[in-house]
Amino acid sequence: MKRTNALFLAAAASALLFLASCATVMSSKVKVNAFDTLDSDALVYLSVPVGVHSELTNSILKKMIGSDVSDKYITGVTDSIDRVYIGIGSPQDRNRLQVACDGTVSTASKLALATSDYFSKKVQNVNTAGIYPVFTEKQSGIQICNPGSDVILLSQDVTPQLQKYDAEANAQIVSGVLSSENTNAVEWKDSEAYKFVGDPATQNVRLYMNRPLSFITNLLGTSLSSSIFQLNFIEGDFEKLPSGKYSVNLNMEFSKDNLITKAVAFLKVALLMTDSKVTALDGRRLSVEGIQVSLSQMQNMLGIH
């Protein structure tokens, strides 16, 4: 899955955090929510708390960056990040990629990353309300910017994210509080996707997808009827178990009222040999709880082959 491959290669580029100089805003005095820098029209949103899921994060980064990259380098990258927020695609551009990371870099991480030869150190100016140093990953062309001490932005074009960051950061400096005029639209912050994926308290991997038929197919390992699984969205919550496996809970919303009964029946048969539970919540929503998958199965579902 090309978009996801580029996504995690981009996430690795957060190593450039220690190279970025101070922006025009006083970043030590502001706290901008990294998730708020993503556009509100992405087709897929993903949130990964790195600490709890370090094995998943390390394996994905190792796969995406290449086998020639040292384990020390990978560890240095993941030590720099607390949580990764990802937005993939838009109605106009299915390949659009936006990544925003929460985290700080320790002295040990700086030393581990300082010898990296994987990124171009040429600085570019982005013409937003502030001037921020932007770096480019050598092979993928992904742009990386550290506009504040605890936010890392990554995209093929970081300008839209920088504009959101800059507006909210400067609003805090001027007024001491976030200005509602400088945040994403109110309806976006009230949306299911924002509340579910943007929840800063969860320690689980969170996924939100629009019409995610291919995701369900990968999860079940069997083809699904598109005439039955006409979905508005799916929410996925991935909890890491002591065994190292993941317990997957899904909520699906269908586009028509008459599809739930057939979908529940299909899923119960498909998941017959598992301990999962399929429940119709109402006329258009159902839940699947307790599907257990391995790390490699998680990667397959997320398009990391």
Side-chain angles (χ1 to χ4, degrees), residues 13 107 113 198:
T107 300
L113 300 173

Side-chain angles (χ1 to χ4, degrees), residues 116-129:
S116 170
D117 293 323
Y118 303 108
F119 308 101
S120 169
K121 298 181 181 180
K122 182 179 180 180
V123 177
Q124 304 172 19
N125 287 332
V126 175
N127 294 319
T128 61

Side-chain angles (χ1 to χ4, degrees), residues 275-296:
D275 294 328
S276 60
K277 180 181 179 182
V278 182
T279 305
L281 302 177
D282 55 39
R284 290 200 177 188
R285 295 180 66 134
L286 66 80
S287 69
V288 182
E289 299 178 321
I291 305 174
Q292 291 195 21
V293 298
S294 65
L295 175 62
S296 61

